[in-house]
Amino acid sequence: LKEIEFTEGFESIGHYCFNHITGYEGSSFYIPASVFQIGGYSTAKQYPYGGNYGDRYGSGWSNHVFYNFGKDGVFKSFDVEDSSIYYTDVDGILYTKDLQALVAVPRAYEFENGVFELPNETRRLGELSFSRNPHVRELVISDNLEIFNNEDELEDYYNSIYCDNISVLNKGN
């Protein structure tokens, strides 16, 4: 699969849509401005298809949409149409427009020195948002990230976003 193209007017990318499509050879994935829903949660809040799925961790933004997507070493960025009022990309990483939720990190995205610093606005991490990215080693979070008081809940949360290769977690300002 060399290219995936959505035309303007396309509105929704459903659960598991690109799950395990490891043959995608593109280095970038374009999302048109008309897309208001990725996975089980609509940023427009018009169509909450996922119901309560992911509510415990606020992870309804991706729901396996980009899990194990793209070839190792190839898929490096999301490219969201600048005029989108629902989503954005920051240096190729996919977020909701307000940056409150990290939706997905491309599989081959490389972080300088393995460090990924979340924007201060980010409060939630989408389920499996770090899917198969082996390059992030340290995640710097702000006090705004919604985490839990209990170690078991925190471990469950990080397992749900597939962060098993992160060895250090720093708390930023």
Side-chain angles (χ1 to χ4, degrees):
L1 184 61
K2 294 183 189 248
E3 188 176 332
I4 298 171
E5 185 175 328
F6 295 115
T7 58
E8 190 57 42
F10 190 84
E11 296 182 336
S12 178
I13 301 173
H15 291 295
Y16 304 97
C17 189
F18 299 105
N19 186 21
H20 290 285
I21 298 181
T22 57
Y24 177 63
E25 297 176 0
S27 62
S28 183
F29 186 88
Y30 172 74
I31 299 173
S34 56
V35 171
F36 69 83
Q37 178 178 353
I38 295 176
Y41 187 81
S42 163
T43 58
K45 299 192 180 189
Q46 295 170 341
Y47 304 104
Y49 293 123
N52 291 326
Y53 184 74
D55 285 351
R56 179 176 178 200
Y57 304 119
S59 62
W61 271 272
S62 57
N63 298 337
H64 290 78
V65 173
F66 297 105
Y67 176 70
N68 207 17
F69 174 71
K71 287 192 168 204
D72 286 338
V74 177
F75 175 48
K76 296 186 179 214
S77 69
F78 286 96
D79 178 21
V80 179
E81 178 67 37
D82 290 339
S83 62
S84 173
I85 61 171
Y86 306 112
Y87 294 96
T88 191
D89 64 273
V90 176
D91 297 327
I93 296 172
L94 183 59
Y95 295 88
T96 54
K97 187 67 171 194
D98 58 9
L99 300 177
Q100 287 195 15
L102 167 69
V103 178
V105 175
R107 182 178 185 142
Y109 190 94
E110 294 187 26
F111 298 89
E112 188 173 334
N113 298 318
V115 178
F116 178 28
E117 186 169 346
L118 288 170
N120 285 333
E121 297 89 347
T122 303
R123 298 179 55 193
R124 290 172 294 282
L125 304 177
E127 180 185 24
L128 302 172
S129 55
F130 290 86
S131 177
R132 306 284 189 200
N133 182 299
H135 304 291
V136 61
R137 299 283 180 222
E138 184 173 328
L139 179 64
V140 181
I141 63 174
S142 76
D143 291 335
N144 296 327
L145 189 68
E146 295 173 358
I147 58 175
F148 303 90
N149 298 321
N150 166 320
E151 283 294 319
D152 291 335
E153 286 185 352
L154 185 60
E155 184 176 337
D156 285 348
Y157 180 72
Y158 285 103
N159 285 337
S160 81
I161 59 169
Y162 201 79
C163 282
D164 64 345
N165 55 314
I166 295 177
S167 58
V168 179
L169 180 67
N170 284 339
K171 187 128 183 169
N173 294 329

